[in-house]
Amino acid sequence: MPRSVGVIIPTALTLFSMFFGAGNLIFPPMLGQAAGEHFLPAMLGFLLGGIGLPVLTIITMAMTGSDVRSLGARAGKVFNIAFCVVAYLSVGAMYAIPRTGAVSYSAVVDPVLQPVGESSTMVAHAGFNALFFSLALLLALYPGKIVANLGKILTPILLGLLLLLLGLVLSNEAHVQPQSPQPPYDHAALTAGFLEGYLTMDSIAALAFGILVISALRSHNNRATSGDDEQQSILSRAIIVSLIAGALLSAVYIGLGLIGLHTTEHFDDGAVMLAQAAHEVLGPYGQLAFGLTVLLACMTTAVGLLAATSEFFHRLIPGVSYRAWLCAFSFISFAIASLGLSAVLQIAAPIIAFIYPIVITLVLATLGGRIFKASARLEADPTFWAFRLSAWTTAFFSAWALLEQLGVIAIGLGALPLASQQLAWVTPALCAYALGLAADLIGHSKKKGERVHAV
C-alpha cells in the first residue's frame, strides 16, 4: 500500500468517526420523516449545510496553518483569543463532550433498566459516566495514536453496525410510501434542509478536529519536503481526507434519512424512531445493536473532542501539560454529564448560536481571500480589511441576536433579511466584506502605483 494511502484512509475514517456523534445519528431520520415526498431537495440542503460547511472548515484550516488561532489571526489578537476560547469550550467540556456521556447513558442503560421497573438513579448515571469518560481519557491520552485507535478499530465497527441496521430496516420497510411533507419542508425544502444541516453546528467541531487531522498528516509527511512544498502536500492530503469523510457521512445520512422517510408512525425523537425501527427488525438484539451504535458514535466524538480541546489549551498555555488539560476536561465532562444537562443546555445553546456565524464568516472570508490572491496572481492575500470588517460585523450582529434571545435588549433584528431563519447576520456581513474589499483593492492599487513610480 502506498504510504500516502496508508495515512489518508485511516485519517479520513478518524475524521468521520469524530464528526459522527449522537446528534448526527438522530437528525437525518427526523428530516426524512418530516420532508416526505420532498426528501431529495431537503436531504441535498442538509448535506450542503451539515457536511459542506464542515469540510470547507477543515480545508481552510489546512490553508491557514495547524492551529485554529491562525484562522482568525487577521481579525486582531483580542478577537482571535476570545473566539478560540469560546469555540473550544462550546464544543468541549461545557457542552458537546458531556452530552456524549448523557446520550450514551439514555441509549444504553435506560432501555435495560426500564423493562425491569428500575428507574435511573444518580449513582447509576455517575457510575456509567465514570466508566465512559475514563475510557475516553485513556484513548485520548496518547494523541499520536488517535488515528490508529479510531480510524483502524472503532470506525470500522461503527460503520459495520450502521450498515447492518440500515440494511435490515430498509429491506423491511422499503414498500412504505413517503408521506406528505410537513412544515417547513412543504415549501422551500432545499432551504429548510440547509438550515437543519447548518444548525448541527459541525463547523465548530471542525475547528477542533482540524488540529488532529493536520497534525496526523504533518507527522507522516515526507521529511524531504519543507516550507511551501510541505504546506501544499498537507493541504492536498487534507482535501482528500475531508472529501472521503464527507462522502461517508453523506452515505450514512442518506441511509438514516431513508429510514425516517419509510416510517409510518410519527416520532418526535430521532433516537426513539431508530430504536423502534431496530426493535421491529431485530427484536431485543436490534435494540442492543442500536445502543452499541450510539455508544460508539458518542465515544469516538468524545475522544476526538477531548484530545483536540486539550491540545489547543496546551498550545495556548504551554505551562499546563496536555495530560493535565485532558484530565481536567474529562473530570468536568463527567461531572456535568452526571448532574444533568438541562441547565447547561440553556446556557450552551445561545453561546453556540453566537459563535457559529463567526466560524462560517472566517472560513468563507479566508477562502475568498485565497480566490482573489490566485486570480490576481498576488504573492499575499490582499483582503485584510474585507476579512477584519466582516469578522467584526458578524460578531456584533451575532452578539446582538444573543442579547435579544436572553432578553437583555428589546430591539430585535427582525427587520433584516433572513432574520426569521436565524440568518440576520448574513446581509450585514456581506456588506462589510464588500466595503472592506473595496478598501483593500484601492490600497493595493495605490501601492502598485507607488512601486511603478519609484521604478
Side-chain angles (χ1 to χ4, degrees), residues 1 23 34 37 54 65 82 123 126 128 131 140 304 307 310 315 354 360 365 398 408 427:
M1 179 184 294
E37 296 174 347
V123 175
F128 174 86
L131 293 174
S310 301
R315 292 186 182 186
F354 159 72
I360 295 176
S398 192
V408 177
T427 301

Side-chain angles (χ1 to χ4, degrees), residues 1 76 91 150 156 186 224 233-234 291 299 340 356 394 438:
M1 179 184 294
V91 296
L150 295 182
D186 51 346
S233 175
I234 292 173
M299 177 59 69
Y356 200 58
T394 301

Side-chain angles (χ1 to χ4, degrees), residues 303-319:
V303 172
L305 288 175
L306 278 172
T309 305
S310 301
E311 186 168 339
F312 165 75
F313 279 96
H314 171 57
R315 292 186 182 186
L316 186 65
I317 308 177

Side-chain angles (χ1 to χ4, degrees), residues 102-126:
V103 173
S104 296
Y105 178 83
S106 64
V108 176
V109 179
D110 274 345
V112 176
L113 295 179
Q114 290 176 359
V116 296
E118 297 183 21
S119 59
S120 301
T121 65
M122 183 69 71
V123 175
H125 206 170

